[in-house]
Amino acid sequence: MKALSRCAWWRPVLIIGVLMAGPTRADPAKHFCEVPAYLLTSESSLPKVQAAVKPGGKLNVLVIGSRSSVIGLSDHSAAYPSRLQAYLGDRLPGVTVEVALELQVKKTAEEMAPTLGKLVEERKPDLVIWQTGTVDAMRQVDGDDFRNALDDGVAAMQKAGTDVILMNLQYSPRTETMISGSAYLDNMRVVAQQHDVPLFDRFAIMRQWNENGDFDLFSPAPGMELAKRVHDCLGRALSAFVIETAHIKTADLRIQR
């Protein structure tokens, strides 16, 4: 079996520093949450991922996230890190895929940044997906301080020898009127460009799903099933983003099996 942070509208139970259990398969009939191609591409690349993905190879991914990286204590397989692993495993035959989750609960980017280089040195991932910005937005952290923390964190991880993807805030229409995330979204885009790392625009993707009617993210009591469906769709979109950005030709992997 292939191995495996804060959400205002489904309030998940926290799981600190766990390696997610092996995923189950989601029902393909439920895949209605399409994503435009422009949100699944990047001018930046993932050379470490590309080198790791080969027949008989192993791809190690570390998600550094917050509460919106998990759903609850009882079903780790439904959260997007595990779904990412499942979808990558399906699309990368002959490659062992392991996605681990490191939760940094209620921490700002500035609080996380000093630990990231050491974390990469210890875990040795080929790819880190750093999900951040929500706590900073809620605390109204100064934009320059946020950008500097991102800059320090990404630089430290790159120096430690990993590819990096930045993942921005989740979209919730219920909180958008109370919390202004535009400055944090803009700063994440700037830092991604400066360090030539891909940005997975979770905010834009989820907003589109809501506007298209795929999900009713405004519901005051959406329930666990909605959370699972959103996480599954995020895992699927993120897997496509990783493969596209790393310029992996999945057809070649199937031929070489």
Side-chain angles (χ1 to χ4, degrees), residues 98-161:
E98 293 185 358
V99 178
L101 173 62
E102 177 75 21
L103 283 180
Q104 301 281 341
V105 180
K106 296 183 180 180
K107 289 187 178 181
T108 64
E110 187 174 23
E111 291 169 332
M112 285 188 274
T115 69
L116 298 182
K118 183 178 180 181
L119 182 63
V120 169
E121 291 174 356
E122 292 174 349
R123 305 288 285 272
K124 295 180 171 55
D126 303 296
L127 169 65
V128 170
I129 300 171
W130 186 14
Q131 173 198 310
T132 190
T134 301
V135 174
D136 295 83
M138 294 190 69
R139 294 186 185 178
Q140 299 182 328
V141 171
D142 179 78
D144 289 340
D145 291 341
F146 177 66
R147 185 174 63 252
N148 290 337
L150 287 177
D151 182 74
D152 291 344
V154 172
M157 289 189 288
Q158 288 181 318
K159 183 177 180 181

Side-chain angles (χ1 to χ4, degrees), residues 43-145:
E43 294 182 359
S44 302
S45 61
L46 298 172
K48 302 283 185 183
V49 173
Q50 187 179 50
V53 174
K54 55 189 177 183
K58 184 176 182 180
L59 175 62
N60 289 308
V61 181
L62 178 63
V63 176
I64 300 175
S66 55
R67 287 182 179 177
S68 60
S69 298
V70 294
I71 297 175
L73 286 171
S74 61
D75 190 2
H76 308 333
S77 64
Y80 84 76
S82 185
R83 301 311 305 149
L84 169 63
Q85 178 178 283
Y87 285 116
L88 284 176
D90 284 344
R91 298 189 62 183
L92 301 175
V95 179
T96 300
V97 179
E98 293 185 358
V99 178
L101 173 62
E102 177 75 21
L103 283 180
Q104 301 281 341
V105 180
K106 296 183 180 180
K107 289 187 178 181
T108 64
E110 187 174 23
E111 291 169 332
M112 285 188 274
T115 69
L116 298 182
K118 183 178 180 181
L119 182 63
V120 169
E121 291 174 356
E122 292 174 349
R123 305 288 285 272
K124 295 180 171 55
D126 303 296
L127 169 65
V128 170
I129 300 171
W130 186 14
Q131 173 198 310
T132 190
T134 301
V135 174
D136 295 83
M138 294 190 69
R139 294 186 185 178
Q140 299 182 328
V141 171
D142 179 78
D144 289 340
D145 291 341

